Amino acid sequence: MNGLTNGLLIALLVLTVSLFIWRKARTAGTKGPDRWIGEDRYELSAIASYIKVRLHELSRSTGNDWGVSEEAWNRKAKARAELRQALRGCTYGDPQDKQYIKAFIRDILVGDYGINEHHIDRILPFQRRELLTVQDRFDIVLYLYKQRYGTEGFAQMMEDYSLDEPNPPKTADGSPVYEMTGEDVDRIFFLEYRALTFQEKLDLVVQRVYQMYKGFSVVDELREMRIDGLSGGVSGIPSGYAATEATPVPGYENGVTDRVMTEVDEDGEIITYAWDSVWIFYKGKSIRLAFLSFGSEAELKRVCQNIYKFNLPGQLSEVNGYKVNEMKDGSRIVVVRPPFAESWAFFVRKFDIPSASLEHLIQGEHAELPLGLLKYFMKGSRITSITGSQGSGKTTLLMAMIKHIYASYTLRVQEMSFELHLRRLYSGRNILSFRETDYVSGQAALDLQKKTDGTVHILGEVATDEVAAWMVQMAQVASLFTLFTHHAKTFRDLIESLRNSLLKAGVFRDERIAEMQVASVIDFDIHLRRDRSGRRYIERITECCQRETIDQAGYEERVIMEYRNGRYVAVRPITPKSREAMAREMLPEDAADFERFVCMYWGETVGA
């Protein structure tokens, strides 16, 4: 009797466990949206939640794999590995991984979720244009432009509708404001809109779901456009500030964000918060996209925590409140967070690698003068600094100048983050770049370069006293010549800044001797300027002439070219000493061309 009872209990236990495993596997394999009963299955937030769970399931092994053949198991394991890799890579800015994940989302929506042309308008009201939010309209217009012009789509839209022109003054001092408003989007939308096919509608829904799940929220598609850069969280009131009055404003409730209310101050002016801040950098101008919002601090924080993680640069934390890195496409990323910054914020700076040629960058009347000078500085192996404010084009100009260094020379590059990407532009040359890490200091990296057979040393930016001091020493003995960028506003500022860095680093104690050392290593300075309209140009090129006497200034500032009234003008000639030194470093045919170039612009006064 006891044996029979035990047998029944064992059988019941086995049956219970088997039933549990079967139900678990069946639940794990559920493909339909039935698990979301109680939610509106056509809301974007519900769809994004479902996609998140399904992709997680598809990227992990389940009980359904039991009993399959080895070949089928290997095939599934490989597919899961590819999906997991793409889920990681798409957050690094990899366009191929992004398209891979979007293809999965599309298949799930059409196959598992059952989205078809009969009810896709319940997700976004494509057929009722008056119900589309301003973000919906912008997404549609950008999608149509992207179909026609690819990554040039946004730039073409800006040109077609003069969106980079200043708006009527809104500030107290009457200064112009660069801003793209919801009214601008509405105007463009009703002029550009056309009936969309089901596949086009599905593309828009897939993109919206993707950017809510793995993408970079409202700036996901913008980041891929050909613009100079973009930023978020850099304007508006940081979280924690209370407003006096709140009124509902339509436009945020269609599953776009979780923010349904906007707030006004005592004067009725709309209060914007840090998460309402989206700015682009276009043709040298900072333009606010006033109609876009991340919707909440949590969404802005999510973007900041994901956008910098290419190549695992370390954790952004309260202790380490900023990160400087790059994305897979070469964009420079800077992310900051509280308490280091007053709000979460990010900065994306894109470098126009395909357009990095001197002929493309330097334009205007008599542009052949600065073009020739820069080419001959490189062929003549001159130690050259490129100065100017942020956004004036220093890095891009430096990238273009490298082309005119003799290809037989080896290049060694030191950067804070990889921005120059010289091996993408000049893949056949001997180039190696270094950067500072948490474990290798910039000074150690610069010391190592002495042992890497470098002919030309390039410093992406001289920003610290240690690097400035090493640059002066390196320019004297370690390489044939050096190129670097600096934020100095004038040539005098450049000399004094480098001099002070030598003093602070303890290399020299006497101010006059330190200044003479700096003057002895800099041959030419190229100063860039960006005016209020965003136009970039070379304001002047200066030759640094060292003086041997110690009873006067250790150098003479000799302007050889200047930008005046919209044209480039030759001013004072290059000194005979520099001219002869440049010619010695050139090939004979280049030296002859250089002589003809100098005579063309300075005539018989060349030797003055």
Side-chain angles (χ1 to χ4, degrees):
M1 187 69 178
N2 290 336
L4 180 61
T5 302
N6 291 337
L8 289 174
L9 288 175
I10 292 173
L12 182 61
L13 179 61
V14 171
L15 180 63
T16 302
V17 171
S18 300
L19 181 62
F20 173 78
I21 293 174
W22 175 77
R23 289 178 62 86
K24 191 75 174 177
R26 186 172 182 270
T27 303
T30 300
K31 296 184 178 181
D34 296 339
R35 68 186 73 180
W36 307 108
I37 293 174
E39 298 185 39
D40 185 347
R41 69 191 300 267
Y42 296 115
E43 282 191 359
L44 284 168
S45 57
I47 296 174
S49 297
Y50 176 74
I51 291 296
K52 181 177 181 179
V53 173
R54 284 294 296 133
L55 287 178
H56 177 78
E57 293 172 351
L58 291 170
S59 62
R60 299 293 184 273
S61 60
T62 66
N64 290 338
D65 292 342
W66 297 351
V68 299
S69 66
E70 181 179 357
E71 181 181 355
W73 189 91
N74 288 334
R75 191 164 53 248
K76 287 187 176 183
K78 182 179 179 181
R80 286 194 295 266
E82 289 178 350
L83 179 56
R84 287 196 297 270
Q85 181 179 354
L87 286 170
R88 289 192 299 269
C90 65
T91 60
Y92 301 153
D94 189 318
Q96 293 182 344
D97 286 339
K98 176 180 176 178
Q99 294 305 317
Y100 187 82
I101 297 301
K102 287 176 67 173
F104 260 91
I105 295 174
R106 173 188 290 270
D107 291 342
I108 292 171
L109 290 183
V110 174
D112 300 354
Y113 211 81
I115 300 298
N116 57 48
E117 58 187 3
H118 298 297
H119 49 238
I120 194 170
D121 290 345
R122 294 179 61 181
I123 302 174
L124 292 175
F126 295 105
Q127 298 302 325
R128 299 188 62 184
R129 294 182 293 177
E130 69 278 5
L131 297 182
L132 291 168
T133 68
V134 66
Q135 184 186 346
D136 297 336
R137 294 174 180 179
F138 177 72
D139 288 347
I140 292 172
V141 170
L142 186 60
Y143 175 79
L144 294 175
Y145 266 92
K146 187 177 179 180
Q147 281 186 321
R148 285 179 279 171
Y149 303 104
T151 57
E152 298 283 353
F154 183 76
Q156 188 63 47
M157 180 179 22
M158 297 288 287
E159 296 298 320
D160 288 349
Y161 293 94
S162 302
L163 298 174
D164 60 333
E165 296 297 324
N167 289 343
K170 297 181 181 179
T171 55
D173 61 356
S175 59
V177 175
Y178 292 94
E179 187 176 73
M180 185 176 174
T181 65
E183 289 77 12
D184 294 325
V185 174
D186 291 344
R187 175 170 58 92
I188 299 169
F189 174 77
F190 285 107
L191 289 172
E192 296 288 341
Y193 183 76
R194 60 168 175 78
L196 301 174
T197 66
F198 169 69
Q199 292 300 326
E200 291 172 332
K201 294 176 183 179
L202 186 60
D203 286 343
L204 288 160
V205 171
V206 167
Q207 172 58 33
R208 182 68 67 82
V209 171
Y210 171 81
Q211 68 191 36
M212 294 171 67
Y213 167 44
K214 277 291 183 180
F216 304 121
S217 192
V218 292
V219 300
D220 188 77
E221 286 285 80
L222 271 175
R223 193 199 63 81
E224 298 180 358
M225 295 290 109
R226 285 282 293 276
I227 55 178
D228 296 335
L230 59 90
S231 57
V234 295
S235 63
I237 301 174
S239 62
Y241 289 79
T244 57
E245 182 182 355
T247 56
V249 171
Y252 290 99
E253 68 275 9
N254 192 30
V256 178
T257 68
D258 59 359
R259 180 166 177 256
V260 184
M261 305 287 285
T262 192
E263 297 172 338
V264 297
D265 60 18
E266 295 177 351
D267 299 324
E269 295 293 328
I270 294 178
I271 295 175
T272 59
Y273 284 88
W275 52 86
D276 299 320
S277 166
V278 177
W279 293 72
I280 62 167
F281 198 47
Y282 177 75
K283 290 189 174 180
K285 306 170 189 174
S286 290
I287 304 174
R288 181 184 172 219
L289 304 187
F291 59 92
L292 281 183
S293 171
F294 292 95
S296 68
E297 185 182 31
E299 182 70 355
L300 174 60
K301 179 179 177 180
R302 180 185 72 83
V303 174
C304 291
Q305 289 178 322
N306 289 327
I307 199 168
Y308 74 95
K309 289 190 174 179
F310 177 60
N311 277 341
L312 306 176
Q315 189 65 35
L316 180 70
S317 63
E318 290 187 5
V319 176
N320 191 357
Y322 74 93
K323 281 293 178 181
V324 180
N325 197 25
E326 71 277 345
M327 301 191 77
K328 193 164 185 177
D329 64 356
S331 302
R332 183 184 68 197
I333 302 294
V334 178
V335 181
V336 296
R337 58 155 295 168
F340 171 69
E342 59 185 341
S343 69
W344 291 85
F346 66 89
F347 306 83
V348 180
R349 184 64 192 277
K350 298 171 71 71
F351 300 100
D352 194 359
I353 294 178
S355 300
S357 67
L358 292 181
E359 291 77 11
H360 182 270
L361 297 172
I362 303 174
Q363 298 181 353
E365 191 173 354
H366 292 171
E368 63 276 2
L369 173 58
L371 281 171
L373 283 172
L374 268 56
K375 291 177 182 178
Y376 290 122
F377 289 166
M378 297 300 97
K379 295 181 183 300
S381 303
R382 295 300 87 193
I383 300 173
T384 307
S385 62
I386 304 174
T387 58
S389 61
Q390 293 184 2
S392 58
K394 300 185 297 297
T395 301
T396 307
L397 182 66
L398 179 57
M399 292 162 64
M401 290 169 60
I402 303 300
K403 176 182 178 181
H404 302 282
I405 298 175
Y406 288 124
S408 60
Y409 290 167
T410 58
L411 277 61
R412 300 295 176 260
V413 186
Q414 175 73 26
E415 303 178 81
M416 183 177 181
S417 63
F418 296 134
E419 298 175 358
L420 293 171
H421 304 288
L422 298 182
R423 282 163 68 162
R424 295 189 187 185
L425 285 169
Y426 314 109
S427 59
R429 294 196 180 189
N430 186 326
I431 302 173
L432 187 61
S433 299
F434 303 88
R435 69 172 177 182
E436 186 175 1
T437 69
D438 292 337
Y439 307 102
V440 180
S441 67
Q443 183 65 51
L446 290 168
D447 289 337
L448 177 66
Q449 288 192 34
K450 295 179 182 179
K451 304 174 178 65
T452 60
D453 302 322
T455 305
V456 182
H457 283 172
I458 300 168
L459 297 177
E461 181 179 347
V462 175
T464 65
D465 295 331
E466 291 76 12
V467 174
W470 198 92
M471 186 279 300
V472 173
Q473 300 172 52
M474 179 176 64
Q476 288 177 317
V477 298
S479 61
L480 179 61
F481 69 103
T482 303
L483 306 175
F484 66 95
T485 68
H486 196 282
H487 283 109
K489 297 179 180 178
T490 65
F491 184 75
R492 181 181 179 85
D493 290 341
L494 173 65
I495 297 293
E496 292 181 352
S497 175
L498 296 176
R499 177 201 66 192
N500 294 339
S501 293
L502 289 178
L503 296 173
K504 292 177 184 177
V507 179
F508 293 97
R509 295 185 178 180
D510 184 273
E511 184 176 294
R512 181 59 59 85
I513 295 177
E515 184 175 284
M516 291 182 67
Q517 286 294 318
V518 172
S520 70
V521 300
I522 296 180
D523 296 319
F524 294 94
D525 173 57
I526 304 164
H527 188 75
L528 304 181
R529 182 175 176 82
R530 176 170 61 92
D531 61 20
R532 291 178 62 88
S533 66
R535 184 167 51 91
R536 299 183 179 102
Y537 56 91
I538 298 177
E539 186 176 39
R540 62 182 175 273
I541 297 179
T542 305
E543 181 183 358
C544 182
C545 304
Q546 183 188 13
R547 288 174 174 156
E548 302 298 335
T549 57
I550 199 168
D551 59 342
Q552 57 182 330
Y555 66 95
E556 175 191 358
E557 180 180 344
R558 188 181 181 96
V559 177
I560 62 174
M561 190 220 74
E562 202 165 30
Y563 188 79
R564 298 175 181 172
N565 301 321
R567 59 185 298 196
Y568 291 103
V569 179
V571 187
R572 302 181 67 184
I574 303 173
T575 59
K577 181 179 178 181
S578 290
R579 181 179 159 191
E580 292 171 5
M582 292 171 68
R584 282 197 304 269
E585 299 294 339
M586 297 181 190
L587 295 174
E589 56 270 27
D590 290 329
D593 290 340
F594 175 57
E595 285 298 321
R596 287 190 290 269
F597 173 80
V598 172
C599 292
M600 178 188 302
Y601 286 99
W602 289 278
E604 297 300 321
T605 63
V606 180

